[in-house]
């Protein structure tokens, strides 16, 4: 039986595909390109590794969509640099990125850039948190706010904004939440870290509050207002008084109940 011919108007158009072997493939950056990913690789003297890279670069230059891709030439230039380095070295030399000054300089530059980026993100976080706490101060709800990790640096930012003047309400809030172990201060490691981040008056105030809360759990916040004045004017004396109070009734200091100010509803922020 003769095969039926398709009418020219309904004939399917021929698919114009390049041969599989000659089809351009998108360039994927080799692991050898990045200095950090080259770390630990070793190659002997000679240039066999440059050959496939040169071939890829020639192939990419023939395709318009890949001609402007700088990654291929960059990789080729790097391997040629390594070959030249080994060519000038004694026979049998093994390439080690640890001893390559160019690679180490690139790694150091990458690490410095990452550190700057981390510092920028931290500065933005501190600024945003300081704006939030300032708004809570204006609303009169700061004392009912839970602290967060890094609020010690936020305190410094608020002090800087005030021209270096101590912000009594912020210091009193931090002392209360530290004494009551609120927020991230529930973690003993965070409380230990705070001793190196907060000022002596704030730490003395917190220690005094903790001992008074242990001895007089029902004390009202107004009754404990004098502790802030003692701590701000005589932080060493306040610390000594707190240490002395640990001996009252022959008891050891324990995790105190929340002082009067912290018995109010705490608002997560």
């Amino acid at each position: 039986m003769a095969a039926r011919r398709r009418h020219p108007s309904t004939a399917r158009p021929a698919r114009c595909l390049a041969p599989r072997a000659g089809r351009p493939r998108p360039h994927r950056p080799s692991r050898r390109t990045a200095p950090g990913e080259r770390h630990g690789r070793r190659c002997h003297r000679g240039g066999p590794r440059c050959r496939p890279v040169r071939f890829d670069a020639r192939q990419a230059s023939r395709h318009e969509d890949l001609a402007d891709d700088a990654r291929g030439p960059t990789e080729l230039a790097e391997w040629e640099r390594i070959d030249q380095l080994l060519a000038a070295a004694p026979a049998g030399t093994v390439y080690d990125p640890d001893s390559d000054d160019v690679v180490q300089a690139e790694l150091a530059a990458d690490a410095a850039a990452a550190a700057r980026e981390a510092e920028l993100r931290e500065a933005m976080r501190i600024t945003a948190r300081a704006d939030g706490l300032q708004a809570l101060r204006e609303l009169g709800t700061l004392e009912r706010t839970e602290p967060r990790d890094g609020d010690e640096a936020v305190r410094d930012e608020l002090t800087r904004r005030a021209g270096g003047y101590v912000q009594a309400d912020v210091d009193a809030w931090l002392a209360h939440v530290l004494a009551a172990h609120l927020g991230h201060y529930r973690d003993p490691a965070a409380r230990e870290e705070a001793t190196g981040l907060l000022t002596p008056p704030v730490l003395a105030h917190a220690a005094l509050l903790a001992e008074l809360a242990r001895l007089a759990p029902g004390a009202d916040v107004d009754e404990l207002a004098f502790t802030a004045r003692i701590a701000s004017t005589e932080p060493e004396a306040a610390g000594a008084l707190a240490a002395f109070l640990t001996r009252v009734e022959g008891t050891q200091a324990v995790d105190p109940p929340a002082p009067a100010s912290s018995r109010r509803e705490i608002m997560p922020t």
Side-chain angles (χ1 to χ4, degrees):
M1 177 184 290
R4 291 186 302 172
R5 287 189 174 182
R6 188 181 297 272
H7 191 274
S9 62
T10 60
R12 294 178 181 177
R15 299 177 63 190
C16 298
L17 296 178
R20 179 173 296 275
R23 253 186 237 175
R25 292 178 297 176
H27 176 80
R28 295 180 181 177
S30 169
R31 290 184 58 83
R32 298 169 294 181
T33 303
E37 294 174 340
R38 274 198 316 263
H39 189 77
R41 283 183 173 269
R42 295 172 180 266
C43 57
H44 293 274
R45 179 179 178 179
R49 289 184 182 272
C50 285
R51 293 167 190 162
V53 182
R54 289 194 185 100
F55 176 79
D56 290 343
R58 287 196 301 269
Q59 290 294 98
S61 66
R62 297 172 182 174
H63 301 284
E64 185 177 352
D65 57 333
L66 299 177
D68 296 332
D69 192 341
R71 291 173 296 179
T74 300
E75 182 179 357
L76 175 59
E78 176 62 9
W79 278 113
E80 288 178 340
R81 184 189 70 81
I82 293 175
D83 276 350
Q84 293 173 3
L85 190 67
L86 292 174
T93 299
V94 178
Y95 173 74
D96 186 357
D98 291 338
S99 60
D100 190 333
D101 293 339
V102 173
V103 172
Q104 296 307 309
E106 291 175 355
L107 290 173
D110 290 344
R116 288 193 298 270
E117 185 177 354
E119 290 177 0
L120 179 59
R121 288 196 301 267
E122 178 64 9
M124 294 173 62
R125 184 197 67 80
I126 291 174
T127 299
R129 177 64 169 167
D131 292 342
L133 291 184
Q134 181 60 37
L136 293 172
R137 294 174 70 189
E138 295 171 359
L139 293 173
T141 57
L142 177 62
E143 61 185 12
R144 294 190 285 120
T145 303
E146 276 209 1
R148 294 180 185 174
D149 184 23
D151 276 349
E152 298 87 0
V154 177
R155 171 202 176 273
D156 296 339
E157 171 63 15
L158 290 171
T159 302
R160 185 194 65 78
R161 292 182 182 184
Y165 290 98
V166 173
Q167 304 300 288
D169 58 337
V170 177
D171 282 4
W173 167 66
L174 281 172
H176 278 282
V177 295
L178 178 58
H181 300 178
L182 298 178
H184 69 294
Y185 289 133
R186 295 184 182 93
D187 184 359
R191 298 197 296 273
E192 180 67 23
E193 185 181 7
T195 61
L197 300 175
L198 294 174
T199 61
V202 176
L203 296 173
H205 188 190
L208 195 53
L209 284 174
E211 289 307 314
L212 291 176
R214 178 179 64 84
L215 297 172
D220 186 76
V221 61
D222 295 331
E223 297 179 86
L224 300 176
F226 70 92
T227 58
R229 294 193 295 272
I230 295 176
S232 61
T233 57
E234 295 289 344
E236 292 184 3
L241 177 58
F244 177 80
L245 290 177
T246 62
R247 300 160 51 192
V248 173
E249 298 178 358
T251 60
Q252 295 294 325
V254 296
D255 288 351
S261 63
S262 62
R263 290 202 304 271
R264 303 173 184 175
E265 181 184 358
I266 298 296
M267 301 186 305
T269 59

